[in-house]
């Protein structure tokens, strides 16, 4: 009888372990971030953009404005630039190792956005 109780106890124990390890969905830590930035009417939206230092960041520029003014985006700080085809998403990976406020602009600096790394 004691043996039977022990076996049942053991089975219960195994079941509980199995339950926790295999049947609960694992929580995944997400530290990448993609932010959509709309390019239209002379402004980047949203701006300012605030992110945490060291987190992965991709800005996905979606250009609505067909005027040549909007065709490039430039991050002077990192020497990064990209052509933005109209009505398409263009992804740019942004370094966030350094804290600060960084400006991004079109080639004529009429469009201006601010990225804050905090
Ligand atoms: Cu411009």
């Amino acid at each position: 009888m004691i043996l039977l109780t022990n076996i049942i106890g053991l089975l219960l124990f195994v079941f509980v372990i199995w339950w926790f390890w295999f049947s609960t969905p694992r929580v995944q830590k997400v530290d990448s971030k993609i932010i959509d930035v709309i390019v239209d009417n002379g402004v980047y939206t949203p701006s300012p953009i605030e992110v945490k230092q060291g987190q992965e960041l991709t800005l996905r520029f979606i250009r609505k404005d067909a005027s040549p003014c909007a065709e490039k985006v430039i991050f002077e700080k990192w020497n990064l630039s990209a052509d933005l085809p109209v009505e398409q998403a263009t992804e740019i990976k942004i370094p966030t190792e350094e804290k600060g406020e960084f400006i991004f602009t079109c080639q004529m600096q009429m469009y201006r956005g601010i990225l804050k790394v905090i």
Side-chain angles (χ1 to χ4, degrees):
M1 200 58 200
I2 290 168
L3 184 68
L4 190 66
T5 313
N6 282 346
I7 288 170
I8 290 170
L10 187 70
L11 286 177
L12 219 73
F13 179 70
V14 169
F15 177 74
V16 167
I17 296 288
W18 173 84
W19 182 265
F20 276 103
W21 281 98
F22 298 104
S23 64
T24 46
R26 306 293 175 83
V27 178
Q28 282 205 336
K29 204 176 155 230
V30 179
D31 11 50
S32 64
K33 196 171 185 184
I34 298 174
I35 298 174
D36 285 344
V37 182
I38 307 295
V39 184
D40 201 12
N41 293 322
V43 287
Y44 296 117
T45 312
S47 174
I49 296 166
E50 201 175 274
V51 295
K52 293 222 171 74
Q53 184 184 31
Q55 88 164 61
E56 266 188 41
L57 176 65
T58 298
L59 295 182
R60 191 196 279 142
F61 285 89
I62 299 160
R63 177 180 166 201
K64 302 281 186 189
D65 182 353
S67 78
C69 176
E71 71 190 1
K72 265 185 195 295
V73 63
I74 299 161
F75 290 81
E76 209 172 68
K77 164 77 181 170
W78 304 291
N79 242 332
L80 273 175
S81 71
D83 292 319
L84 306 176
V86 181
E87 292 295 340
Q88 281 182 44
T90 306
E91 295 190 353
I92 307 176
K93 235 176 146 336
I94 306 291
T96 60
E97 292 86 35
E98 195 182 321
K99 285 189 185 183
E101 280 196 22
F102 308 107
I103 288 178
F104 53 101
T105 64
C106 68
Q107 69 274 27
M108 306 150 199
Q109 308 207 344
M110 291 153 92
Y111 274 89
R112 288 174 81 83
I114 298 172
L115 172 71
K116 290 181 179 179
V117 182
I118 55 165

